[in-house]
Amino acid sequence: MRRRQLAILATLPLALAGCEALQQRLGLGGPEPVRVVFFTPDSATLDEPALSVVRNAADTARRTGESVRVLGFSGPAGTPQDQVTVAANRAQAVRAALVAAGVPDGRITVGARPAVPFEAAPVESRRVEIHLVP
């Protein structure tokens, strides 16, 4: 029994390495997690917790030299155009905060999406994702 446990434990690093390699090949995961900033309904204002997340992303981007992809989302209220406008305003607010925190504007790309129908919780729709891209 003990020998079987040791054999399983010995293969664990290989299995984990394989998962990491697969994630990288698929464009999933990587060294830096996606940072998420949440907003109140119909707002693009960054509160202190949101600014803390943005500053953390900016610190990492400045330190590593990585580019930053900012993707805004909106809740389900309004027309698809209204949703894209709110999402874009949120993404631009995060972009401005990243620039204010020292990330060169030329290293930041911004996108916006309307509400995603399969998202269960409206608060999760009201977000901006900050991706650090090597």
PDB file of all heavy atoms in Angstrom, residues 118-134:
ATOM      1  N   PHE A 118     -25.268  33.950 -20.715  1.00  0.00           N
ATOM      2  CA  PHE A 118     -25.176  32.788 -19.832  1.00  0.00           C
ATOM      3  C   PHE A 118     -24.633  33.118 -18.453  1.00  0.00           C
ATOM      4  O   PHE A 118     -24.524  32.247 -17.611  1.00  0.00           O
ATOM      5  CB  PHE A 118     -24.323  31.685 -20.473  1.00  0.00           C
ATOM      6  CG  PHE A 118     -22.925  32.116 -20.813  1.00  0.00           C
ATOM      7  CD1 PHE A 118     -21.916  32.088 -19.865  1.00  0.00           C
ATOM      8  CD2 PHE A 118     -22.628  32.552 -22.084  1.00  0.00           C
ATOM      9  CE1 PHE A 118     -20.635  32.480 -20.181  1.00  0.00           C
ATOM     10  CE2 PHE A 118     -21.351  32.958 -22.402  1.00  0.00           C
ATOM     11  CZ  PHE A 118     -20.357  32.919 -21.463  1.00  0.00           C
ATOM     12  N   GLU A 119     -24.279  34.367 -18.197  1.00  0.00           N
ATOM     13  CA  GLU A 119     -23.773  34.723 -16.877  1.00  0.00           C
ATOM     14  C   GLU A 119     -24.937  34.803 -15.892  1.00  0.00           C
ATOM     15  O   GLU A 119     -25.906  35.508 -16.108  1.00  0.00           O
ATOM     16  CB  GLU A 119     -23.016  36.046 -16.928  1.00  0.00           C
ATOM     17  CG  GLU A 119     -21.729  35.912 -17.731  1.00  0.00           C
ATOM     18  CD  GLU A 119     -20.862  37.116 -17.608  1.00  0.00           C
ATOM     19  OE1 GLU A 119     -20.106  37.190 -16.628  1.00  0.00           O
ATOM     20  OE2 GLU A 119     -20.947  37.971 -18.489  1.00  0.00           O
ATOM     21  N   ALA A 120     -24.813  34.051 -14.806  1.00  0.00           N
ATOM     22  CA  ALA A 120     -25.909  33.904 -13.852  1.00  0.00           C
ATOM     23  C   ALA A 120     -26.094  35.116 -12.950  1.00  0.00           C
ATOM     24  O   ALA A 120     -27.213  35.475 -12.628  1.00  0.00           O
ATOM     25  CB  ALA A 120     -25.687  32.653 -13.008  1.00  0.00           C
ATOM     26  N   ALA A 121     -25.032  35.732 -12.514  1.00  0.00           N
ATOM     27  CA  ALA A 121     -25.131  36.813 -11.533  1.00  0.00           C
ATOM     28  C   ALA A 121     -24.850  38.157 -12.201  1.00  0.00           C
ATOM     29  O   ALA A 121     -23.788  38.347 -12.785  1.00  0.00           O
ATOM     30  CB  ALA A 121     -24.142  36.580 -10.399  1.00  0.00           C
ATOM     31  N   PRO A 122     -25.795  39.104 -12.120  1.00  0.00           N
ATOM     32  CA  PRO A 122     -25.575  40.413 -12.749  1.00  0.00           C
ATOM     33  C   PRO A 122     -24.319  41.121 -12.255  1.00  0.00           C
ATOM     34  O   PRO A 122     -23.651  41.797 -13.016  1.00  0.00           O
ATOM     35  CB  PRO A 122     -26.825  41.207 -12.381  1.00  0.00           C
ATOM     36  CG  PRO A 122     -27.857  40.190 -12.088  1.00  0.00           C
ATOM     37  CD  PRO A 122     -27.117  39.005 -11.536  1.00  0.00           C
ATOM     38  N   VAL A 123     -23.963  40.964 -10.980  1.00  0.00           N
ATOM     39  CA  VAL A 123     -22.768  41.639 -10.467  1.00  0.00           C
ATOM     40  C   VAL A 123     -21.519  41.146 -11.185  1.00  0.00           C
ATOM     41  O   VAL A 123     -20.582  41.894 -11.409  1.00  0.00           O
ATOM     42  CB  VAL A 123     -22.627  41.501  -8.937  1.00  0.00           C
ATOM     43  CG1 VAL A 123     -22.242  40.085  -8.536  1.00  0.00           C
ATOM     44  CG2 VAL A 123     -21.601  42.483  -8.412  1.00  0.00           C
ATOM     45  N   GLU A 124     -21.503  39.879 -11.590  1.00  0.00           N
ATOM     46  CA  GLU A 124     -20.346  39.364 -12.319  1.00  0.00           C
ATOM     47  C   GLU A 124     -20.286  39.915 -13.734  1.00  0.00           C
ATOM     48  O   GLU A 124     -19.237  39.941 -14.344  1.00  0.00           O
ATOM     49  CB  GLU A 124     -20.358  37.839 -12.309  1.00  0.00           C
ATOM     50  CG  GLU A 124     -20.062  37.290 -10.929  1.00  0.00           C
ATOM     51  CD  GLU A 124     -19.877  35.797 -10.925  1.00  0.00           C
ATOM     52  OE1 GLU A 124     -19.662  35.209 -11.981  1.00  0.00           O
ATOM     53  OE2 GLU A 124     -19.950  35.229  -9.827  1.00  0.00           O
ATOM     54  N   SER A 125     -21.426  40.334 -14.256  1.00  0.00           N
ATOM     55  CA  SER A 125     -21.442  40.958 -15.580  1.00  0.00           C
ATOM     56  C   SER A 125     -20.884  42.372 -15.530  1.00  0.00           C
ATOM     57  O   SER A 125     -20.352  42.860 -16.510  1.00  0.00           O
ATOM     58  CB  SER A 125     -22.872  41.008 -16.126  1.00  0.00           C
ATOM     59  OG  SER A 125     -23.359  39.716 -16.337  1.00  0.00           O
ATOM     60  N   ARG A 126     -21.006  43.043 -14.384  1.00  0.00           N
ATOM     61  CA  ARG A 126     -20.548  44.432 -14.245  1.00  0.00           C
ATOM     62  C   ARG A 126     -19.088  44.429 -13.810  1.00  0.00           C
ATOM     63  O   ARG A 126     -18.761  44.692 -12.668  1.00  0.00           O
ATOM     64  CB  ARG A 126     -21.421  45.159 -13.228  1.00  0.00           C
ATOM     65  CG  ARG A 126     -22.879  45.240 -13.640  1.00  0.00           C
ATOM     66  CD  ARG A 126     -23.687  46.101 -12.704  1.00  0.00           C
ATOM     67  NE  ARG A 126     -23.541  45.784 -11.292  1.00  0.00           N
ATOM     68  CZ  ARG A 126     -24.390  45.047 -10.587  1.00  0.00           C
ATOM     69  NH1 ARG A 126     -25.442  44.516 -11.148  1.00  0.00           N
ATOM     70  NH2 ARG A 126     -24.180  44.844  -9.305  1.00  0.00           N
ATOM     71  N   ARG A 127     -18.215  44.119 -14.755  1.00  0.00           N
ATOM     72  CA  ARG A 127     -16.810  43.968 -14.389  1.00  0.00           C
ATOM     73  C   ARG A 127     -15.897  44.427 -15.515  1.00  0.00           C
ATOM     74  O   ARG A 127     -16.326  44.589 -16.653  1.00  0.00           O
ATOM     75  CB  ARG A 127     -16.500  42.515 -14.058  1.00  0.00           C
ATOM     76  CG  ARG A 127     -16.470  41.603 -15.272  1.00  0.00           C
ATOM     77  CD  ARG A 127     -16.247  40.147 -14.889  1.00  0.00           C
ATOM     78  NE  ARG A 127     -16.074  39.297 -16.035  1.00  0.00           N
ATOM     79  CZ  ARG A 127     -17.035  38.794 -16.775  1.00  0.00           C
ATOM     80  NH1 ARG A 127     -18.291  39.078 -16.497  1.00  0.00           N
ATOM     81  NH2 ARG A 127     -16.763  38.012 -17.801  1.00  0.00           N
ATOM     82  N   VAL A 128     -14.637  44.602 -15.148  1.00  0.00           N
ATOM     83  CA  VAL A 128     -13.565  44.773 -16.116  1.00  0.00           C
ATOM     84  C   VAL A 128     -12.492  43.758 -15.757  1.00  0.00           C
ATOM     85  O   VAL A 128     -12.118  43.614 -14.584  1.00  0.00           O
ATOM     86  CB  VAL A 128     -12.982  46.210 -16.095  1.00  0.00           C
ATOM     87  CG1 VAL A 128     -11.695  46.290 -16.880  1.00  0.00           C
ATOM     88  CG2 VAL A 128     -13.999  47.198 -16.619  1.00  0.00           C
ATOM     89  N   GLU A 129     -12.034  43.028 -16.763  1.00  0.00           N
ATOM     90  CA  GLU A 129     -10.940  42.083 -16.574  1.00  0.00           C
ATOM     91  C   GLU A 129      -9.648  42.734 -17.023  1.00  0.00           C
ATOM     92  O   GLU A 129      -9.604  43.382 -18.075  1.00  0.00           O
ATOM     93  CB  GLU A 129     -11.182  40.815 -17.388  1.00  0.00           C
ATOM     94  CG  GLU A 129     -12.399  40.038 -16.976  1.00  0.00           C
ATOM     95  CD  GLU A 129     -12.665  38.824 -17.831  1.00  0.00           C
ATOM     96  OE1 GLU A 129     -11.964  38.628 -18.862  1.00  0.00           O
ATOM     97  OE2 GLU A 129     -13.592  38.066 -17.491  1.00  0.00           O
ATOM     98  N   ILE A 130      -8.602  42.548 -16.233  1.00  0.00           N
ATOM     99  CA  ILE A 130      -7.277  43.076 -16.566  1.00  0.00           C
ATOM    100  C   ILE A 130      -6.362  41.877 -16.809  1.00  0.00           C
ATOM    101  O   ILE A 130      -6.084  41.112 -15.885  1.00  0.00           O
ATOM    102  CB  ILE A 130      -6.716  43.949 -15.431  1.00  0.00           C
ATOM    103  CG1 ILE A 130      -7.689  45.074 -15.091  1.00  0.00           C
ATOM    104  CG2 ILE A 130      -5.349  44.503 -15.812  1.00  0.00           C
ATOM    105  CD1 ILE A 130      -7.337  45.837 -13.818  1.00  0.00           C
ATOM    106  N   HIS A 131      -5.951  41.714 -18.062  1.00  0.00           N
ATOM    107  CA  HIS A 131      -5.082  40.596 -18.451  1.00  0.00           C
ATOM    108  C   HIS A 131      -3.678  41.137 -18.721  1.00  0.00           C
ATOM    109  O   HIS A 131      -3.532  42.085 -19.499  1.00  0.00           O
ATOM    110  CB  HIS A 131      -5.592  39.933 -19.732  1.00  0.00           C
ATOM    111  CG  HIS A 131      -6.973  39.387 -19.634  1.00  0.00           C
ATOM    112  ND1 HIS A 131      -7.213  38.046 -19.436  1.00  0.00           N
ATOM    113  CD2 HIS A 131      -8.183  39.980 -19.708  1.00  0.00           C
ATOM    114  CE1 HIS A 131      -8.527  37.847 -19.399  1.00  0.00           C
ATOM    115  NE2 HIS A 131      -9.130  39.003 -19.553  1.00  0.00           N
ATOM    116  N   LEU A 132      -2.678  40.542 -18.113  1.00  0.00           N
ATOM    117  CA  LEU A 132      -1.287  40.887 -18.429  1.00  0.00           C
ATOM    118  C   LEU A 132      -0.802  39.918 -19.492  1.00  0.00           C
ATOM    119  O   LEU A 132      -0.908  38.704 -19.336  1.00  0.00           O
ATOM    120  CB  LEU A 132      -0.417  40.813 -17.175  1.00  0.00           C
ATOM    121  CG  LEU A 132      -0.833  41.775 -16.071  1.00  0.00           C
ATOM    122  CD1 LEU A 132       0.100  41.642 -14.884  1.00  0.00           C
ATOM    123  CD2 LEU A 132      -0.883  43.198 -16.554  1.00  0.00           C
ATOM    124  N   VAL A 133      -0.316  40.477 -20.601  1.00  0.00           N
ATOM    125  CA  VAL A 133       0.030  39.683 -21.769  1.00  0.00           C
ATOM    126  C   VAL A 133       1.528  39.807 -22.038  1.00  0.00           C
ATOM    127  O   VAL A 133       2.022  40.913 -22.243  1.00  0.00           O
ATOM    128  CB  VAL A 133      -0.761  40.182 -23.003  1.00  0.00           C
ATOM    129  CG1 VAL A 133      -0.470  39.314 -24.217  1.00  0.00           C
ATOM    130  CG2 VAL A 133      -2.256  40.230 -22.701  1.00  0.00           C
ATOM    131  N   PRO A 134       2.243  38.667 -22.049  1.00  0.00           N
ATOM    132  CA  PRO A 134       3.686  38.744 -22.326  1.00  0.00           C
ATOM    133  C   PRO A 134       3.985  39.236 -23.730  1.00  0.00           C
ATOM    134  O   PRO A 134       3.227  39.152 -24.615  1.00  0.00           O
ATOM    135  CB  PRO A 134       4.172  37.303 -22.164  1.00  0.00           C
ATOM    136  CG  PRO A 134       3.038  36.490 -21.683  1.00  0.00           C
ATOM    137  CD  PRO A 134       1.806  37.328 -21.772  1.00  0.00           C
TER     138      PRO A 134
END
